[in-house]
Amino acid sequence: MPRPPNTPPDHTHRWTIFVRPVSPSHDITHWLRKVQFKLHETYSQSLRTIEAPPFEVTETGWGEFEVAIKLFFVPEASEKPISVYHQLKLHPYGGTEEEREKTRREGGEVGSKCYEEVCFNEPVEGFWEILTSGGGDGRAGEKGRGKGKGSKAIRGADRSAEIPNEGSPYSLRMEGRELDRLREAVKQVEGMIVEERKTLAEREKVLGDLRREAAAVETR
């Protein structure tokens, strides 16, 4: 990727930090009002506020530093902003020169994504309406910004503020599948341990027999 014009000579990387939904079809603007990024103090305007998607900042830099990310919610939430943190590392990627050259040939882009889950404990009724009736995963007819909008689009069991299942690697369904894979892997490892213990016992028996035979030969 070519260097942007007027890039300082000591800046080695072009980077983007962002807040995005887990699925492209999942709208977060019905509950997220704006995002504030606190960059390293060496940047001009180190405090960047983004009030509409995409919630992201693109810059150039070098080394590594922590970015504080503050999430501001819609007024209906009656919730205070929360902060999360991301350690931005702008170093050559790869342990060997071959790995670094491969990264450069493939475009030089390295991703470091962190999953953060926002939980609203007992939200007020108006905000619950927003969370469950609009903008969640594209099923509602309206965006849902504002009290009660889109509430006719989803009824009964369909109303949910859970992470969307389709297209999301962090949904409860995908979590269940991953747990099933881990349980199966644990069973396989436990079976391998049992077999190894049997093999060890057999070898110890053979070794004991050989020692007894060697002791018998020495006493003759």
Side-chain angles (χ1 to χ4, degrees):
M1 183 179 295
R3 290 168 62 89
N6 302 321
T7 301
D10 58 340
H11 285 198
T12 58
H13 292 70
R14 184 171 184 261
W15 55 266
T16 299
I17 192 165
F18 54 80
V19 174
R20 296 173 183 169
V22 294
S23 171
S25 64
H26 188 58
D27 180 24
I28 59 176
T29 59
H30 63 297
W31 57 266
L32 184 63
R33 182 167 62 90
K34 65 180 179 180
V35 179
Q36 193 176 79
F37 298 89
K38 181 66 173 70
L39 311 181
H40 193 271
E41 60 185 11
T42 54
Y43 285 95
S44 61
Q45 298 180 337
S46 60
L47 190 64
R48 312 285 178 90
T49 301
I50 311 299
E51 298 188 357
F55 298 109
E56 61 183 43
V57 170
T58 298
E59 269 286 359
T60 61
W62 63 276
E64 64 178 87
F65 55 92
E66 184 179 73
V67 179
I69 306 170
K70 184 175 285 189
L71 309 179
F72 293 83
F73 307 113
V74 295
E76 296 88 345
S78 299
E79 297 277 353
K80 295 180 180 180
I82 64 171
S83 295
V84 294
Y85 302 88
H86 185 80
Q87 190 70 20
L88 192 65
K89 298 183 179 182
L90 306 175
H91 301 299
Y93 181 77
T96 65
E97 186 58 37
E98 289 77 11
E99 292 176 343
R100 297 171 187 171
E101 180 60 31
K102 181 181 178 181
T103 302
R104 286 191 287 268
R105 289 198 306 270
E106 294 176 351
E109 182 174 318
V110 177
S112 176
K113 299 178 182 178
C114 296
Y115 170 65
E116 297 285 349
E117 187 169 309
V118 179
C119 297
F120 299 103
N121 185 27
E122 299 183 357
V124 296
E125 183 177 353
F127 190 45
W128 171 251
E129 287 290 326
I130 292 174
L131 291 173
T132 59
S133 64
D137 56 5
R139 293 177 297 175
E142 297 184 47
K143 192 174 183 181
R145 173 67 69 84
K147 189 172 183 178
K149 282 191 176 181
S151 59
K152 295 180 180 179
I154 300 176
R155 293 290 186 184
D158 288 335
R159 293 174 64 107
S160 173
E162 295 288 348
I163 296 170
N165 284 319
E166 300 303 326
S168 169
Y170 306 109
S171 65
L172 293 177
R173 184 182 304 170
M174 294 301 295
E175 180 180 320
R177 292 176 183 174
E178 186 66 22
L179 289 174
D180 289 341
R181 286 193 290 266
L182 290 173
R183 293 188 189 101
E184 184 61 31
V186 169
K187 289 181 181 179
Q188 293 180 7
V189 171
E190 289 175 345
M192 293 170 62
I193 291 174
V194 170
E195 292 300 320
E196 287 296 324
R197 286 175 176 170
K198 289 180 180 178
T199 302
L200 180 60
E202 293 172 356
R203 290 178 178 176
E204 288 179 343
K205 183 178 181 302
V206 171
L207 181 60
D209 292 340
L210 291 174
R211 285 174 176 171
R212 284 190 292 273
E213 290 178 5
V217 169
E218 290 178 358
T219 58
R220 291 178 184 175

